[in-house]
Amino acid sequence: MHFDLPDDHRLLQQTVRDFATQEVAPVAEALDHEKRFPYEIVAKMGELGWMGIPFPEEVGGAGGTTLQYALAVEELTRVDSSVAITMCAHTSLGTQPIYLFGSQEQKDALLPDLCSGAKLGAFGLTEPEAGSDAGNVRTRAALEDGEWVVNGAKQFITNAGTDISGHVAITARTGEGEISNIVVENGTPGYEQGTPYRKMGWNASDTRPLTFADCRVPEDNLLGPRGQGFKQFLHILDIGRIGVAAMGVGLAQGALDEALAYAKERRAFGQPISKFQAIQGKLADMATEIEAARLLTYKAAFLKDEGRNFTLTAAQAKLKTGRLAVRCAEEAVQIHGGYGYIEEYPVCRFYRDAKILTIGEGTDEVQQMVIARALGA
């Protein structure tokens, strides 16, 4: 058993860490406050090849591994979750369905722009009645004269409404008891992106509802075989959980970084508060839990890269890291005292950003169901 990262993985990790510190950190507070999408940062990440890390070079990707992708997501989230989720949702939810299930024509048409970051991809699963109950899809798609006529609505969709959004792959009922995935490109008549949500966190990411009213797309926009949509999106969610788990690790680590730095600087009763046992206990527990969660997340990525079943490990990692991110962000705020409640301090933003990690990509309760089922319960 070997725990050291390969040289190319360490290099990417350090490069992303430097980028996050130098390019993202100085503007993160302003992006959050202004609820402004980070177009310039996304463009730079695209130029660096990070918007297509785990995809082969022959389709326009960087030819990297899932573990490298997780490392990049972790380092970005260590500084800012909005930037991280933009890349994470684009890669796991926007690009993976095309790469895994698309026809050769779909891959040729969409993957180069997706992998370069010229276009952002989105995945439309969630509806008012289809969130945790993912199979209860109400959106309909009827085949008429060689076109799918789509009617319905999606909610909480990431990356669908920016100036560089390219497509959304949606789940729809294409027949009785039949769910399929269909690609709908931005600009298609009948497809409308709603007003962005006012959110607790992730304020610089794009999240909004979508509506489809007699939206017509070519029959060839079907993603994979008809009726395979349910199986497809379950696999996509498994992959997505690795990215979200990496976000949980990154946010928890960022919270620890800020808490430790502040504890060394802040003085009380004649010494830095880092010298007090109560503070040391918090920092020690955070560091220990983060390392355990990191190893679990890396294992899930490793299993996927090895072509082995990773459903259980990805669910465990997502469950563990989401809860840990919330707890570490709360402890970091507590260590900062009153300053932790002030927006100028990153831990305040981290605290707001953390909670969604226990909800998105499957709630904690759904992860427990997935884990229990994998155990045979």
Side-chain angles (χ1 to χ4, degrees), residues 46 81 133:
S81 292
D133 184 6

Side-chain angles (χ1 to χ4, degrees), residues 32 35 37 82 85-86 156-159 196-208 352-353 356:
D32 175 78
K35 298 177 172 57
F37 188 79
S82 290
I85 189 55
T86 298
F156 309 141
I157 309 304
T158 303
N159 287 344
Y197 294 109
R198 296 171 57 198
K199 298 173 292 186
M200 177 192 297
W202 288 5
N203 283 324
S205 72
D206 179 78
T207 317
R208 64 182 75 211
R352 290 187 286 102
D353 286 339
I356 189 62

Side-chain angles (χ1 to χ4, degrees), residues 2-40:
H2 188 60
F3 290 100
D4 290 332
L5 292 172
D7 290 344
D8 58 341
H9 287 56
R10 285 204 309 273
L11 177 60
L12 177 65
Q13 181 185 51
Q14 187 61 55
T15 303
V16 179
R17 182 175 300 174
D18 292 343
F19 177 87
T21 302
Q22 298 166 14
E23 301 285 343
V24 182
V27 298
E29 181 190 343
L31 291 172
D32 175 78
H33 178 71
E34 298 167 14
K35 298 177 172 57
R36 174 162 49 92
F37 188 79
Y39 285 106
E40 293 182 0

Side-chain angles (χ1 to χ4, degrees), residues 30-325:
L31 291 172
D32 175 78
H33 178 71
E34 298 167 14
K35 298 177 172 57
R36 174 162 49 92
F37 188 79
Y39 285 106
E40 293 182 0
I41 292 172
V42 171
K44 290 178 181 178
M45 292 195 300
E47 292 171 2
L48 291 166
W50 298 345
M51 301 301 281
I53 290 174
F55 303 105
E57 294 179 3
E58 54 264 30
V59 302
T65 64
T66 306
L67 180 54
Q68 285 178 306
Y69 163 62
L71 291 169
V73 171
E74 177 186 342
E75 292 302 327
L76 290 171
T77 318
R78 202 166 166 173
V79 170
D80 183 65
S81 292
S82 290
V83 170
I85 189 55
T86 298
M87 185 180 84
C88 192
H90 164 78
T91 303
S92 298
L93 303 180
T95 308
Q96 284 285 3
I98 307 300
Y99 174 68
L100 291 175
F101 309 118
S103 65
Q104 191 59 52
E105 290 75 15
Q106 289 169 335
K107 292 179 181 180
D108 291 343
L110 299 175
L111 285 180
D113 280 346
L114 291 172
C115 289
S116 70
K119 295 289 185 182
L120 290 179
F123 189 71
L125 168 62
T126 306
E127 300 177 4
E129 301 297 327
S132 294
D133 184 6
N136 195 26
V137 173
R138 301 294 177 87
T139 297
R140 296 289 194 272
L143 193 57
E144 296 181 6
D145 301 324
E147 292 181 316
W148 293 105
V149 183
V150 183
N151 286 280
K154 301 292 181 178
Q155 64 183 17
F156 309 141
I157 309 304
T158 303
N159 287 344
T162 74
D163 292 344
I164 56 174
S165 296
H167 80 277
V168 59
I170 64 166
T171 55
R173 292 203 172 273
T174 50
E176 187 65 31
E178 178 182 276
I179 297 176
S180 302
N181 289 321
I182 297 173
V183 176
V184 182
E185 297 190 49
N186 278 39
T188 303
Y191 168 37
E192 298 291 336
Q193 300 88 27
T195 302
Y197 294 109
R198 296 171 57 198
K199 298 173 292 186
M200 177 192 297
W202 288 5
N203 283 324
S205 72
D206 179 78
T207 317
R208 64 182 75 211
L210 311 176
T211 58
F212 305 87
D214 290 331
C215 174
R216 291 179 172 270
V217 300
E219 182 177 0
D220 290 343
N221 281 30
L222 185 70
L223 198 59
R226 179 170 174 168
Q228 293 297 304
F230 189 82
K231 182 179 180 180
Q232 290 173 357
F233 74 64
L234 287 182
H235 185 57
I236 293 300
L237 291 176
D238 283 345
I239 296 173
R241 284 168 188 151
I242 297 174
V244 175
M247 288 190 66
V249 174
L251 192 150
Q253 184 65 60
L256 174 59
D257 293 343
E258 295 291 335
L260 178 59
Y262 181 82
K264 289 180 176 180
E265 177 184 306
R266 170 69 167 154
R267 297 182 67 84
F269 305 101
Q271 63 180 343
I273 64 172
S274 62
K275 299 297 183 181
F276 291 103
Q277 195 171 41
I279 302 299
Q280 291 177 347
K282 292 179 184 294
L283 296 171
D285 285 349
M286 290 165 70
T288 302
E289 290 293 315
I290 289 168
E291 188 60 21
R294 178 178 286 118
L295 292 174
L296 185 57
T297 301
Y298 289 4
K299 180 183 177 182
F302 168 79
L303 289 174
K304 182 183 180 302
D305 286 331
E306 289 289 302
R308 296 159 61 182
N309 190 300
F310 61 94
T311 297
L312 171 60
T313 312
Q316 291 172 327
K318 200 273 181 185
L319 178 65
K320 173 67 176 178
T321 59
R323 291 175 171 178
L324 179 62

